[in-house]
PDB file of all heavy atoms in Angstrom:
ATOM      1  N   GLY R 173     -92.414  36.179  13.363  1.00 89.00           N
ATOM      2  CA  GLY R 173     -91.170  36.522  12.667  1.00 89.00           C
ATOM      3  C   GLY R 173     -90.148  35.403  12.631  1.00 89.00           C
ATOM      4  O   GLY R 173     -89.044  35.581  12.129  1.00 89.00           O
ATOM      5  N   TYR R 174     -90.521  34.259  13.179  1.00 93.00           N
ATOM      6  CA  TYR R 174     -89.598  33.120  13.185  1.00 93.00           C
ATOM      7  C   TYR R 174     -90.155  31.987  12.344  1.00 93.00           C
ATOM      8  O   TYR R 174     -91.358  31.722  12.360  1.00 93.00           O
ATOM      9  CB  TYR R 174     -89.397  32.588  14.620  1.00 93.00           C
ATOM     10  CG  TYR R 174     -88.451  33.436  15.454  1.00 93.00           C
ATOM     11  CD1 TYR R 174     -88.867  34.653  15.984  1.00 93.00           C
ATOM     12  CD2 TYR R 174     -87.150  33.012  15.700  1.00 93.00           C
ATOM     13  CE1 TYR R 174     -87.998  35.435  16.744  1.00 93.00           C
ATOM     14  CE2 TYR R 174     -86.280  33.772  16.466  1.00 93.00           C
ATOM     15  CZ  TYR R 174     -86.705  34.987  16.983  1.00 93.00           C
ATOM     16  OH  TYR R 174     -85.841  35.748  17.732  1.00 93.00           O
ATOM     17  N   LEU R 175     -89.255  31.281  11.640  1.00 94.00           N
ATOM     18  CA  LEU R 175     -89.646  30.042  10.965  1.00 94.00           C
ATOM     19  C   LEU R 175     -89.526  28.916  11.979  1.00 94.00           C
ATOM     20  O   LEU R 175     -88.442  28.688  12.528  1.00 94.00           O
ATOM     21  CB  LEU R 175     -88.711  29.755   9.783  1.00 94.00           C
ATOM     22  CG  LEU R 175     -88.783  30.722   8.595  1.00 94.00           C
ATOM     23  CD1 LEU R 175     -87.684  30.385   7.587  1.00 94.00           C
ATOM     24  CD2 LEU R 175     -90.159  30.668   7.924  1.00 94.00           C
ATOM     25  N   HIS R 176     -90.627  28.253  12.241  1.00 96.00           N
ATOM     26  CA  HIS R 176     -90.616  27.091  13.140  1.00 96.00           C
ATOM     27  C   HIS R 176     -90.640  25.853  12.267  1.00 96.00           C
ATOM     28  O   HIS R 176     -91.634  25.595  11.584  1.00 96.00           O
ATOM     29  CB  HIS R 176     -91.830  27.102  14.068  1.00 96.00           C
ATOM     30  CG  HIS R 176     -91.779  28.223  15.072  1.00 96.00           C
ATOM     31  ND1 HIS R 176     -91.568  28.015  16.411  1.00 96.00           N
ATOM     32  CD2 HIS R 176     -91.882  29.565  14.912  1.00 96.00           C
ATOM     33  CE1 HIS R 176     -91.557  29.177  17.037  1.00 96.00           C
ATOM     34  NE2 HIS R 176     -91.749  30.142  16.150  1.00 96.00           N
ATOM     35  N   ALA R 177     -89.548  25.105  12.267  1.00 97.00           N
ATOM     36  CA  ALA R 177     -89.445  23.944  11.383  1.00 97.00           C
ATOM     37  C   ALA R 177     -89.402  22.676  12.204  1.00 97.00           C
ATOM     38  O   ALA R 177     -88.717  22.616  13.229  1.00 97.00           O
ATOM     39  CB  ALA R 177     -88.191  24.060  10.529  1.00 97.00           C
ATOM     40  N   GLY R 178     -90.132  21.679  11.749  1.00 97.00           N
ATOM     41  CA  GLY R 178     -90.114  20.390  12.446  1.00 97.00           C
ATOM     42  C   GLY R 178     -90.121  19.250  11.436  1.00 97.00           C
ATOM     43  O   GLY R 178     -90.633  19.393  10.324  1.00 97.00           O
ATOM     44  N   ALA R 179     -89.530  18.151  11.824  1.00 96.00           N
ATOM     45  CA  ALA R 179     -89.583  16.932  10.997  1.00 96.00           C
ATOM     46  C   ALA R 179     -89.611  15.772  11.975  1.00 96.00           C
ATOM     47  O   ALA R 179     -88.608  15.087  12.169  1.00 96.00           O
ATOM     48  CB  ALA R 179     -88.376  16.847  10.078  1.00 96.00           C
ATOM     49  N   PRO R 180     -90.791  15.577  12.625  1.00 87.00           N
ATOM     50  CA  PRO R 180     -90.875  14.598  13.716  1.00 87.00           C
ATOM     51  C   PRO R 180     -90.438  13.195  13.287  1.00 87.00           C
ATOM     52  O   PRO R 180     -89.722  12.523  14.000  1.00 87.00           O
ATOM     53  CB  PRO R 180     -92.344  14.616  14.111  1.00 87.00           C
ATOM     54  CG  PRO R 180     -92.968  15.764  13.401  1.00 87.00           C
ATOM     55  CD  PRO R 180     -92.043  16.255  12.359  1.00 87.00           C
ATOM     56  N   GLY R 181     -90.799  12.804  12.060  1.00 87.00           N
ATOM     57  CA  GLY R 181     -90.415  11.462  11.600  1.00 87.00           C
ATOM     58  C   GLY R 181     -89.063  11.453  10.897  1.00 87.00           C
ATOM     59  O   GLY R 181     -88.714  10.472  10.257  1.00 87.00           O
ATOM     60  N   GLY R 182     -88.343  12.564  10.943  1.00 93.00           N
ATOM     61  CA  GLY R 182     -87.063  12.669  10.235  1.00 93.00           C
ATOM     62  C   GLY R 182     -87.288  13.129   8.797  1.00 93.00           C
ATOM     63  O   GLY R 182     -88.403  13.055   8.281  1.00 93.00           O
ATOM     64  N   LEU R 183     -86.231  13.642   8.177  1.00 97.00           N
ATOM     65  CA  LEU R 183     -86.328  14.104   6.785  1.00 97.00           C
ATOM     66  C   LEU R 183     -86.218  12.912   5.836  1.00 97.00           C
ATOM     67  O   LEU R 183     -85.543  11.928   6.151  1.00 97.00           O
ATOM     68  CB  LEU R 183     -85.207  15.109   6.495  1.00 97.00           C
ATOM     69  CG  LEU R 183     -85.268  16.424   7.286  1.00 97.00           C
ATOM     70  CD1 LEU R 183     -84.020  17.252   7.016  1.00 97.00           C
ATOM     71  CD2 LEU R 183     -86.518  17.225   6.932  1.00 97.00           C
ATOM     72  N   LYS R 184     -86.895  13.042   4.687  1.00 98.00           N
ATOM     73  CA  LYS R 184     -86.846  11.941   3.696  1.00 98.00           C
ATOM     74  C   LYS R 184     -86.406  12.491   2.347  1.00 98.00           C
ATOM     75  O   LYS R 184     -86.867  13.544   1.927  1.00 98.00           O
ATOM     76  CB  LYS R 184     -88.245  11.328   3.541  1.00 98.00           C
ATOM     77  CG  LYS R 184     -88.678  10.627   4.809  1.00 98.00           C
ATOM     78  CD  LYS R 184     -89.954   9.847   4.643  1.00 98.00           C
ATOM     79  CE  LYS R 184     -90.379   9.248   5.979  1.00 98.00           C
ATOM     80  NZ  LYS R 184     -90.588  10.290   7.045  1.00 98.00           N
ATOM     81  N   GLY R 185     -85.524  11.762   1.691  1.00 98.00           N
ATOM     82  CA  GLY R 185     -85.015  12.186   0.387  1.00 98.00           C
ATOM     83  C   GLY R 185     -86.148  12.389  -0.606  1.00 98.00           C
ATOM     84  O   GLY R 185     -87.199  11.746  -0.514  1.00 98.00           O
ATOM     85  N   ALA R 186     -85.952  13.318  -1.546  1.00 98.00           N
ATOM     86  CA  ALA R 186     -86.998  13.619  -2.533  1.00 98.00           C
ATOM     87  C   ALA R 186     -86.353  14.245  -3.763  1.00 98.00           C
ATOM     88  O   ALA R 186     -85.203  14.666  -3.720  1.00 98.00           O
ATOM     89  CB  ALA R 186     -88.000  14.605  -1.929  1.00 98.00           C
TER      90      ALA R 186
END
Side-chain angles (χ1 to χ4, degrees):
Y174 282 76
L175 292 174
H176 291 250
L183 296 173
K184 294 188 184 59

